Amino acid sequence: MNGTRHEEFRAYVAERGPALLRAAMRLTPDRTEAEDLVQAALAKTYLAWDRIHDRAALDGYVRRAMANTQISWWRRRKLEIYPTDELPDRPVDDHTRRSELRDALGRALRRLPERQRVTLMLRYYEDMSETEVAHVLGVSVGTVKSTVSRAVARLRDDGALGDDFPGPPPPHS
C-alpha cells in the first residue's frame, strides 16, 4: 500500500473508529473483545483496501468483517465449551435492568421531536463534534448546542426513564 493509501486508511480509522467500536459493542458486550473485533476487521479492511473502490461502502465492509469475525470466534469458542454436571460457583450478572433502561431510552428518544433526536444521535451515537453536526444539519454551532441541551432536558424530565438517566456522556471533542 503506497503512502497516500496508507494515509487514507489512517484517516478513515481516526474518523470512524469510535462509531465502529460502538457497532462492535452491539456484537459483544465485552469492551475488550469489541476492541479486538474492530482491530481484526480493520486488519482485513487494510488488506482489501485497494479492492474497495466505493469509499462510501467502507463502514458496511468493516461491519460485515466484524460480524463474520464474531461468528467465527463464537463457533471456535463453542467447540471449547463442554457440558458438565457441576454448576459454576460464580453468579451470572443480571442484565435485566440495563435492558429495561435501554428500551426505555429508545422509547424516550422516539418521543423527541425529529430535529432533537437527529441532533442527539449525530452528536453522541455517531460521536460527531458540535461543529460537524452543525455542518451536516446546515445550522450554527449555537443551534446544535441549544438543541442538544433541550433534548437532554426533555430526556431527564421523561418519567419513563426515572432517576436512572444521568444524561449524555461527556463530549470527546
Side-chain angles (χ1 to χ4, degrees):
M1 184 176 281
N2 70 27
T4 303
R5 290 187 184 118
H6 179 74
E7 287 306 314
E8 198 176 88
F9 180 78
R10 286 176 52 100
Y12 170 75
V13 172
E15 179 184 336
R16 298 301 298 155
L20 295 172
L21 180 58
R22 283 190 300 280
M25 291 291 292
R26 293 185 174 272
L27 295 171
T28 177
D30 179 58
R31 183 174 178 89
T32 304
E33 190 172 322
E35 290 169 349
D36 290 345
L37 194 56
V38 171
Q39 289 301 312
L42 287 173
K44 291 176 182 179
T45 304
Y46 184 81
L47 294 174
W49 192 258
D50 290 333
R51 294 189 313 266
I52 304 171
H53 300 292
D54 181 7
R55 295 299 190 227
L58 281 171
D59 278 2
Y61 184 92
V62 176
R63 287 184 174 147
R64 172 54 63 190
M66 284 192 296
N68 291 342
T69 301
Q70 180 64 17
I71 290 168
S72 175
W73 290 351
W74 176 78
R75 286 180 178 152
R76 192 173 317 128
R77 272 193 302 265
K78 187 176 169 186
L79 297 175
E80 297 169 0
I81 299 173
Y82 300 99
T84 180
D85 291 334
E86 295 179 30
L87 293 175
D89 288 339
R90 61 179 188 220
V92 176
D93 288 338
D94 182 8
H95 299 289
T96 306
R97 180 66 188 132
R98 187 170 26 182
S99 293
E100 290 171 353
L101 183 58
R102 184 176 292 171
D103 291 343
L105 180 58
R107 287 190 300 276
L109 285 168
R110 285 189 293 277
R111 285 192 292 272
L112 290 175
E114 183 177 356
R115 182 176 182 159
Q116 288 180 1
R117 184 174 55 252
V118 168
T119 305
L120 279 180
M121 295 302 284
L122 291 174
R123 180 71 179 104
Y124 295 107
Y125 185 75
E126 289 297 325
D127 201 27
M128 290 183 173
S129 70
E130 291 165 339
T131 304
E132 291 170 323
V133 174
H135 178 73
V136 167
L137 297 179
V139 298
S140 70
V141 172
T143 299
V144 170
K145 289 179 180 182
S146 63
T147 302
V148 166
S149 178
R150 283 192 304 275
V152 170
R154 284 186 72 162
L155 290 174
R156 283 193 180 118
D157 291 341
D158 193 305
L161 295 176
D163 295 331
D164 292 324
F165 181 69
H172 296 280
S173 55

Coordinates of all heavy atoms in Angstrom, one line a residue, residues 6-20 42 126-127 132:
H6 N -2.1 4.6 2.5 CA -1.9 4.4 3.9 C -2.5 5.5 4.7 O -3.1 5.3 5.7 CB -0.4 4.2 4.2 CG 0.0 4.0 5.6 ND1 -0.3 2.8 6.3 CD2 0.5 4.8 6.6 CE1 0.1 2.9 7.5 NE2 0.6 4.1 7.7
E7 N -2.2 6.7 4.3 CA -2.8 7.9 5.0 C -4.3 8.0 4.9 O -5.0 8.4 5.8 CB -2.2 9.2 4.4 CG -0.7 9.4 4.8 CD -0.6 9.4 6.4 OE1 -1.4 10.0 7.1 OE2 0.4 8.7 6.8
E8 N -4.8 7.5 3.7 CA -6.3 7.5 3.5 C -6.9 6.5 4.5 O -7.9 6.8 5.2 CB -6.6 7.0 2.1 CG -7.9 7.3 1.6 CD -8.1 6.9 0.1 OE1 -8.4 5.8 -0.1 OE2 -7.8 7.8 -0.7
F9 N -6.3 5.3 4.7 CA -6.7 4.3 5.7 C -6.6 4.9 7.1 O -7.6 4.7 7.9 CB -5.9 3.0 5.5 CG -6.4 2.0 6.5 CD1 -7.5 1.2 6.3 CD2 -5.7 1.7 7.6 CE1 -7.9 0.3 7.1 CE2 -6.1 0.7 8.5 CZ -7.2 0.0 8.3
R10 N -5.5 5.5 7.4 CA -5.3 6.1 8.8 C -6.4 7.1 9.1 O -7.0 7.2 10.2 CB -4.0 6.7 8.9 CG -2.8 5.6 9.1 CD -1.5 6.3 9.1 NE -1.4 7.4 10.1 CZ -0.9 7.2 11.3 NH1 -0.3 6.1 11.6 NH2 -0.9 8.2 12.2
A11 N -6.7 7.9 8.1 CA -7.7 9.0 8.3 C -9.1 8.3 8.5 O -9.9 8.8 9.3 CB -7.8 9.9 7.1
Y12 N -9.4 7.3 7.7 CA -10.7 6.6 7.9 C -10.8 6.0 9.3 O -11.8 6.2 10.0 CB -10.8 5.5 6.9 CG -12.0 4.6 7.2 CD1 -13.3 5.0 6.9 CD2 -11.8 3.3 7.7 CE1 -14.4 4.2 7.2 CE2 -12.9 2.5 8.0 CZ -14.2 2.9 7.8 OH -15.2 2.2 8.1
V13 N -9.7 5.4 9.8 CA -9.7 4.8 11.1 C -9.9 5.9 12.2 O -10.7 5.7 13.2 CB -8.5 3.9 11.4 CG1 -8.4 3.5 12.8 CG2 -8.5 2.7 10.4
A14 N -9.2 7.0 12.0 CA -9.3 8.1 13.0 C -10.7 8.6 13.1 O -11.2 8.9 14.1 CB -8.3 9.2 12.7
E15 N -11.3 8.8 11.9 CA -12.6 9.4 11.8 C -13.7 8.4 12.3 O -14.6 8.8 13.0 CB -12.9 9.8 10.4 CG -14.3 10.5 10.3 CD -14.6 10.8 8.8 OE1 -13.7 11.1 8.1 OE2 -15.8 10.9 8.5
R16 N -13.7 7.2 11.9 CA -14.8 6.2 12.1 C -14.5 5.3 13.2 O -15.4 4.5 13.6 CB -15.0 5.5 10.8 CG -15.5 6.3 9.6 CD -16.7 7.1 9.9 NE -17.8 6.3 10.2 CZ -18.9 6.6 10.9 NH1 -19.0 7.8 11.4 NH2 -19.9 5.7 11.1
G17 N -13.3 5.3 13.8 CA -13.0 4.3 14.9 C -14.0 4.3 16.0 O -14.5 3.2 16.4
P18 N -14.4 5.4 16.6 CA -15.4 5.4 17.7 C -16.8 4.8 17.3 O -17.3 4.0 18.0 CB -15.5 6.8 18.1 CG -14.3 7.5 17.7 CD -13.9 6.8 16.4
A19 N -17.2 5.1 16.1 CA -18.5 4.6 15.6 C -18.4 3.0 15.4 O -19.3 2.3 15.7 CB -19.0 5.3 14.4
L20 N -17.2 2.6 14.9 CA -17.0 1.2 14.6 C -17.0 0.4 16.0 O -17.5 -0.7 16.1 CB -15.8 0.9 13.8 CG -15.8 1.5 12.4 CD1 -14.4 1.4 11.7 CD2 -16.9 0.8 11.6
L42 N -10.5 -4.2 10.9 CA -9.7 -3.2 10.3 C -8.5 -3.8 9.6 O -8.1 -3.3 8.5 CB -9.3 -2.1 11.2 CG -10.4 -1.2 11.7 CD1 -10.0 -0.2 12.8 CD2 -11.0 -0.4 10.5
E126 N -23.1 8.9 16.8 CA -22.0 9.0 15.8 C -20.8 9.7 16.3 O -19.8 9.7 15.5 CB -22.6 9.7 14.5 CG -23.6 8.8 13.8 CD -23.0 7.5 13.2 OE1 -21.9 7.5 12.8 OE2 -23.8 6.5 13.2
D127 N -20.8 10.2 17.5 CA -19.6 10.8 18.1 C -19.1 12.0 17.3 O -17.8 12.2 17.2 CB -18.6 9.8 18.4 CG -17.6 10.2 19.5 OD1 -18.0 11.0 20.3 OD2 -16.4 9.8 19.4
E132 N -19.2 19.5 13.5 CA -19.5 18.5 12.5 C -21.0 18.4 12.3 O -21.6 18.3 11.2 CB -18.9 17.2 12.8 CG -17.4 17.1 12.6 CD -16.8 15.9 13.1 OE1 -17.2 15.3 14.2 OE2 -15.8 15.4 12.5

